[in-house]
Every structure is written in structure tokens, then in C-alpha cells.
Amino acid sequence: MIKNRYFKAVDELQETIRNTQSEAMSEAAAMCAEAVAAGHSIHLFDTGHIIDSEIKNRAGGFNFIRSFKYGLNVDSIARIQDDLEGDKNRSMEGLAEFALRASNVYPGDVMFIGSVSGNSISVVDLALAAQKLGVKIVALTSVTYTKQLNALHSSGKKLYEINDVLIDNCAPFGDAMLDVEGVDRAFIPASGLSAAYIMWTVMAELLDLLLEKGLKPGILGSVNYPENVQYNIDLETLYKEKGL
């Protein structure tokens, strides 16, 4: 049954992560602990593989984890000029530096950047600009996947080459884990499953390290318990005053 194959694939994925990425996850946790203890912020940037939605603003999770998103809205409905379109550069390379300049991201902060391929121009552009600013980068990507792709950014680099800590999400090339007879493409992506597993592992060790430093971070309560509504509001005050 496909269900049982899925169970087995998840078990193997998590075992691989434990066996190969434990040191990197500990390094990420230690880097975050030092940053938080010094009053810096922890940012998440994700291209859609669960890091942001799973970790940020979750009951049972840290309140101090904040997302970073950027983009550019252009209102242009003129016709495409086919004879000139081929020479037009639409990559928006360089936009990340302006986005960081306009943001509340500062030198000494830590930014998790998640991208299974680690190759899109926006991801690489952000990693380069953040490092230039003095932000510490934790890259979460598939090394097997990204090494089979040609670099798209003009720097010739990919995310796995631009970081302070590299965590391999251990997803296969193409992301999907199961070949199933009767369908044309592999089934069930690994990257979201591994991202959640990795990030909560880092968060667990981060809590240990913060407590060892005598710091009590704000952990969000479920708003389905009425008393947690005000509790969570008070945590936001703690965050604004102390970064916890």
C-alpha cells in the first residue's frame, strides 16, 4: 500500500536527518541563542516549503520568531513588445538589498532561508544581501537537488554556498519521495516534512540554550483557551522590550 510506503519513507527521511544534520542543527540553535541573548532578532524567509507557516505564530512556539517577506508590485498593462522582450531583464536582481534597507533587519540578526532548490534569483539575492549587511544566515535546502541545477543568479552561486550554517533537508532531486505505478510523476514531496522536523529540532535545542543562559522566552499559548488571549498580548510587550 502507498500509505505504508509513505510511513517508511518518512521514517527513513527523519533518520537520515538525525544521522547527518544533528551537528548543523545544533550550530543553528547556538547561533540563534547568542543572537537572542544579545538582543538581536530571528527572521524566517521561505519560498513555500512550510518553514514560515509552521514555525511563526504557533501555539507552543516562540513568540520572537518573525517572518521576513519582500516583493515588488508593478502596475503595467501596456502590451509586450515582442521584438524587444528578449533583451529585457525581468529578474529583479538587487531588489533584496533595498528590501533589507527598508526592513527591521539589523547586523547580528539571524535569518533562516528555506528553499528546496536553493537556486531562485530572489533566494540567492537575499542571502547575498543579508550577508553583506552582517546578518547570519541559516540555509535550509536540498544539497542533492541544488547541485544538479545550473545557477540562475549572476553571481553563479546557490543558497548552499551562501550561509553561516547549512542544513540539508535531505529531499531527493525533484523533491517527491515515492515512485508509484500508474502515475506519471513521483509522489509526496519531502521538503515540507523535513523542514518542520528540522526547524522544531532547532527550536527545541534553542529553548535549552536560552534557559541555560537564564533567559525565559515567550511561548505562545493557544487562543482557544480564553486566558491565553491576554497572555499572548503581554508576550508581545515582552518581545518589544527585550526581544524574548
Side-chain angles (χ1 to χ4, degrees):
M1 294 178 63
I2 295 173
K3 178 180 72 174
N4 292 333
R5 290 182 58 203
Y6 167 70
F7 288 155
K8 184 173 184 292
V10 172
D11 288 343
E12 291 174 349
L13 177 65
Q14 293 180 343
E15 182 179 17
T16 299
I17 291 168
R18 290 194 301 272
N19 291 339
T20 65
Q21 302 306 306
S22 182
E23 182 177 349
M25 291 187 290
S26 293
E27 289 176 4
M31 192 164 67
C32 289
E34 292 299 321
V36 171
H40 294 296
S41 296
I42 310 297
H43 309 275
L44 302 178
F45 177 85
D46 185 35
T47 57
H49 300 281
I50 218 168
I51 292 178
D52 183 79
S53 57
E54 174 64 22
I55 298 298
K56 185 201 71 173
N57 201 29
R58 290 293 305 272
F62 293 124
N63 183 51
F64 61 71
I65 301 293
R66 300 295 159 124
S67 63
F68 175 83
K69 298 178 181 180
Y70 77 101
L72 177 67
N73 293 322
V74 177
D75 186 3
S76 174
I77 57 174
R79 71 182 187 90
I80 294 175
Q81 301 175 47
D82 293 331
D83 57 331
L84 298 175
E85 179 64 25
D87 296 325
K88 191 175 182 65
N89 179 3
R90 294 183 179 270
S91 72
M92 295 192 293
E93 193 172 303
L95 180 61
E97 186 170 354
F98 291 96
L100 287 170
R101 190 181 304 168
S103 74
N104 292 336
V105 179
Y106 299 94
D109 288 358
V110 175
M111 181 176 288
F112 288 82
I113 300 181
S115 169
V116 62
S117 72
N119 195 38
S120 67
I121 289 174
S122 62
V123 165
V124 174
D125 207 43
L126 177 60
L128 289 169
Q131 277 203 331
K132 181 180 177 182
L133 180 62
V135 176
K136 296 176 181 178
I137 303 297
V138 180
L140 183 55
T141 189
S142 169
V143 176
T144 295
Y145 195 148
T146 194
K147 286 188 175 181
Q148 297 186 58
L149 303 174
N150 294 322
L152 298 176
H153 195 273
S154 65
S155 67
K157 292 185 176 182
K158 304 171 194 173
L159 179 60
Y160 84 99
E161 300 170 294
I162 318 161
N163 55 77
D164 296 275
V165 177
L166 171 63
I167 304 177
D168 188 350
N169 68 18
C170 300
F173 180 60
D175 206 354
M177 298 185 290
L178 302 180
D179 292 317
V180 180
E181 186 176 353
V183 297
D184 295 333
R185 296 292 184 271
F187 185 51
I188 303 182
S191 60
L193 297 164
S194 61
Y197 189 67
I198 288 167
M199 291 299 296
W200 284 119
T201 301
V202 172
M203 296 300 112
E205 188 160 0
L206 174 55
L207 179 56
D208 263 336
L209 294 172
L210 291 175
L211 293 175
E212 287 175 7
K213 293 177 179 293
L215 299 173
K216 183 180 177 181
I219 295 178
L220 293 162
S222 171
V223 294
N224 289 302
Y225 293 93
E227 62 270 22
N228 284 335
V229 174
Q230 186 59 49
Y231 178 82
N232 290 347
I233 292 171
D234 293 340
L235 287 186
E236 191 62 18
T237 301
L238 174 67
Y239 171 72
K240 290 179 179 177
E241 291 177 354
K242 298 184 178 180
L244 293 172

